[in-house]
Amino acid sequence: MIRLVYLGYYFKKLDWEKHNKFIQFASELTSKPKAVLFVLSIFNSIKYNISILEYYQFRFFQKARKEKSSYAGTGFMFEYQKKMNPSKFRKYFIDKRLFLETFSKLVRHQYASLDELRGNQSLAESILSNSSGKIVIKRNDGQCGVGVDVINSTQLNPFSFVELMKNTGNDLAEEFIVQHPALMALSPSGLNTVRIFTQLTESGKVDIIGCRLRITINSIVDNLAAGNIAAAIDPVTGRLSGPGVYSDITKKNVLVHPITGIELLNFQVPFWSDILTLVEEAALTVPECKSIGWDIAVTEYGPELLEGNHDWCKLVWQLPVEAGLKEILVKYL
């Protein structure tokens, strides 16, 4: 019964434009009528606890039953993360300002809420005068990079700064982070971040269950939903171990960045051992939440923590390795 409820939710939230694009592609690829694929997507959604779009993103239209069973879809992840990350402690990850305060030892850049900026001119001046000459404004409760904007701070004063945030509906400002030169060469359009998934065991040990590099493609944000790519990172060496993949199934995997031409395979993420140390400390800071996807920026001075996601993305986790990873999570239940 619960999966029928999930199915109703999937249809309510379905991006029909994306769905129609994917079903057309799958129909042309498999020679199956779209009506057949549509029915199969519903059947698979119920049977394998996945969303309608995930039927296409996981390429279930090309997979055998056993392989389908290995994927962690939206329904499974909702149930898993609900168990691992109790609702009373999720505030530390939902509220971006509270997150930055809670994990302040692992954060290097300046930040301030709209309320703080209203009453503190010197704080506003300090953020505006940061060495990058830019600021990032966003919603404190924003998701998936929606509404994030990068502003030239040299053209603002404390008053116009506050007015800009009010007029755009943003309530959190942060110093623009200048990424490591190697990552800037890879893709200069936006901040390329490391996503590491951690799981706390019953004994309090931090298990790393996946490492990815989210790479921008002519975008100021690095989310897959914005048309960017993600690649798997070898957790031991910190080198990229596979191609860059899109969540758009109509686009092919890439071995070189489509804009800069930099080769992805074996690209070395800087400060890898420091990143692993940072993530382990982060994972132990709010131990009540046991399964978190961490976003890390890497500068020429080392890594710093950006965000923690209690409802981390199963696409970024599974698509870059082109495999279902549900069994990794099942052993923690």
Side-chain angles (χ1 to χ4, degrees), residues 2-267:
I2 187 63
R3 295 196 183 184
L4 291 177
V5 175
Y6 289 167
L7 182 63
Y9 173 81
Y10 300 146
F11 274 115
K12 181 179 179 181
K13 297 292 185 178
L14 186 57
D15 181 336
W16 283 102
E17 182 179 355
K18 185 178 293 184
H19 171 272
N20 294 340
K21 179 181 180 180
F22 288 178
I23 199 171
Q24 179 67 37
F25 175 82
S27 178
E28 293 174 359
L29 192 65
T30 63
S31 298
K32 292 178 181 177
K34 288 190 286 185
V36 171
L37 289 168
F38 185 70
V39 172
L40 286 173
S41 71
I42 295 172
F43 173 78
N44 279 258
S45 174
I46 297 170
K47 182 174 178 61
Y48 298 105
N49 215 2
I50 64 169
S51 74
I52 300 297
L53 282 183
E54 284 161 7
Y55 172 77
Y56 302 100
Q57 291 165 324
F58 293 149
R59 292 181 175 265
F60 274 21
F61 53 87
Q62 294 177 306
K63 287 181 166 56
R65 184 181 305 172
K66 183 177 181 180
E67 194 174 2
K68 292 177 183 179
S69 299
S70 69
Y71 278 83
T74 294
F76 174 85
M77 293 303 301
F78 172 76
E79 295 163 3
Y80 184 82
Q81 291 164 340
K82 183 178 180 180
K83 180 178 178 63
M84 291 294 164
N85 303 322
S87 58
K88 65 184 291 187
F89 295 102
R90 291 185 175 194
K91 62 184 179 181
Y92 296 104
F93 303 95
I94 295 172
D95 184 322
K96 288 181 168 55
R97 184 67 177 81
L98 179 59
F99 175 86
L100 292 167
E101 291 176 351
T102 304
F103 295 88
S104 59
K105 288 200 310 180
L106 307 175
V107 176
R108 296 172 180 264
H109 66 283
Q110 284 187 289
Y111 53 86
S113 68
L114 177 57
D115 287 341
E116 290 171 323
L117 293 168
R118 278 193 179 112
N120 193 332
Q121 181 175 332
S122 62
L123 175 61
E125 289 175 342
S126 178
I127 292 180
L128 289 173
S129 62
N130 78 81
S131 59
S132 74
K134 300 176 184 177
I135 54 170
V136 179
I137 57 175
K138 60 180 70 170
R139 287 183 56 87
N140 190 50
D141 59 354
Q143 296 288 323
C144 299
V146 176
V148 174
D149 206 356
V150 178
I151 308 294
N152 185 339
S153 59
T154 61
Q155 299 175 353
L156 296 171
N157 58 49
F159 175 76
S160 60
F161 184 13
V162 169
E163 288 301 303
L164 173 66
M165 292 186 66
K166 286 166 57 179
N167 293 337
T168 56
N170 291 294
D171 53 4
L172 181 65
E174 299 183 61
E175 173 187 350
F176 180 83
I177 297 173
V178 178
Q179 63 190 333
H180 190 281
L183 292 167
M184 181 64 80
L186 176 63
S187 181
S189 64
L191 189 62
N192 307 292
T193 63
V194 175
R195 166 67 64 88
I196 296 184
F197 308 95
T198 60
Q199 174 72 44
L200 273 183
T201 67
E202 288 296 323
S203 64
K205 177 177 176 290
V206 179
D207 285 352
I208 291 176
I209 60 173
C211 306
R212 312 287 181 254
L213 183 63
R214 303 195 302 174
I215 304 166
T216 60
I217 308 290
N218 275 346
S219 175
I220 63 170
V221 297
D222 59 2
N223 307 80
L224 282 181
N228 300 301
I229 57 176
I233 306 173
D234 184 308
V236 176
T237 65
R239 292 182 179 275
L240 297 193
S241 56
V245 302
Y246 295 90
S247 62
D248 182 344
I249 66 169
T250 69
K251 295 183 178 180
K252 295 181 179 180
N253 296 348
V254 293
L255 289 172
V256 299
H257 191 282
I259 306 299
T260 64
I262 299 291
E263 288 191 16
L264 300 183
L265 202 59
N266 291 320
F267 175 88

Side-chain angles (χ1 to χ4, degrees), residues 268-313:
Q268 178 67 57
V269 178
F271 292 105
W272 187 245
S273 62
D274 293 339
I275 290 172
L276 296 180
T277 300
L278 179 150
V279 163
E280 182 165 2
E281 184 173 350
L284 294 170
T285 301
V286 183
E288 293 83 1
C289 290
K290 300 183 182 303
S291 180
I292 301 294
W294 306 97
D295 291 340
I296 301 124
V298 188
T299 74
E300 62 179 315
Y301 306 107
E304 68 164 302
L305 194 58
L306 295 178
E307 287 187 1
N309 302 272
H310 68 86
D311 54 351
W312 50 268
C313 179

